[in-house]
Amino acid sequence: MPIEEFFSDELTENVPSNSVEVSRFIVRHNDRRQSLLAKIKLISAGLAYTFKKNLDPILGVIEPSFERDLRIMKIPIRRIAEPKLISAYNDQNLGIEIDKQGLRDRLGETELKHMTMATGSYIFWGNHPPIDTIPHQGEN
């Protein structure tokens, strides 16, 4: 995983085999709010996958600006490596771990149930309205 490659000195132990890395979230949009919304949807899908597949720890190599975005999204994170130039990315990046238990506690069981729906199903969760409150096409 990139975190092992780029931050091997900062990792205090081997990364477990059931770990997952959420890195390289690149979203570009002229409107910062639209960019943040796209990041929220991407990270939400990634986190839902980690709950469904019981993957932990959740690690990441991210830009400092995305660290700020995760905090805005109220995703509990812990910095495990300070920013440094990653020549392969030609940018400053840092290492993080998402506190999966903290996220579980913050979301609650109802949200987690929605996140772990069967493959192929779809449900809104997080800051979106419940699906039963969205009018169907042709309804007022």
Side-chain angles (χ1 to χ4, degrees):
M1 290 194 294
I3 196 147
E4 293 173 297
E5 179 181 348
F6 300 130
F7 295 103
S8 60
D9 293 340
E10 290 85 345
L11 295 174
T12 57
E13 53 192 53
N14 290 334
V15 176
S17 61
N18 66 327
S19 64
V20 64
E21 186 164 334
V22 289
S23 297
R24 307 305 300 149
F25 279 90
I26 301 172
V27 175
R28 303 284 188 246
H29 195 283
N30 291 337
D31 183 331
R32 170 120 171 89
R33 288 178 21 180
Q34 290 298 321
S35 181
L36 183 58
L37 180 60
K39 287 179 185 179
I40 289 170
K41 289 182 180 200
L42 284 170
I43 195 71
S44 296
L47 291 172
Y49 184 82
T50 68
F51 279 98
K52 182 170 180 59
K53 298 295 185 178
N54 198 29
L55 301 171
D56 196 31
I58 306 168
L59 306 169
V61 174
I62 62 172
E63 297 172 348
S65 62
F66 190 53
E67 179 187 37
R68 183 190 67 239
D69 291 342
L70 290 172
R71 292 187 192 284
I72 289 169
M73 290 182 241
K74 299 193 184 330
I75 295 177
I77 61 171
R78 177 177 66 92
R79 188 183 280 193
I80 58 176
E82 293 301 315
K84 70 178 181 182
L85 178 65
I86 305 295
S87 59
Y89 299 159
N90 194 30
D91 203 355
Q92 291 282 325
N93 280 238
L94 57 99
I96 62 154
E97 179 177 354
I98 294 175
D99 178 359
K100 191 171 180 183
Q101 185 58 48
L103 184 60
R104 179 186 309 278
D105 294 344
R106 188 178 77 72
L107 292 175
E109 291 305 313
T110 301
E111 292 294 324
L112 290 175
K113 180 179 175 218
H114 291 293
M115 288 175 71
T116 57
M117 298 288 288
T119 304
S121 64
Y122 184 79
I123 192 160
F124 287 105
W125 64 276
N127 294 326
H128 298 285
I131 196 136
D132 58 346
T133 65
I134 299 173
H136 295 282
Q137 193 171 22
E139 290 183 6
N140 289 335

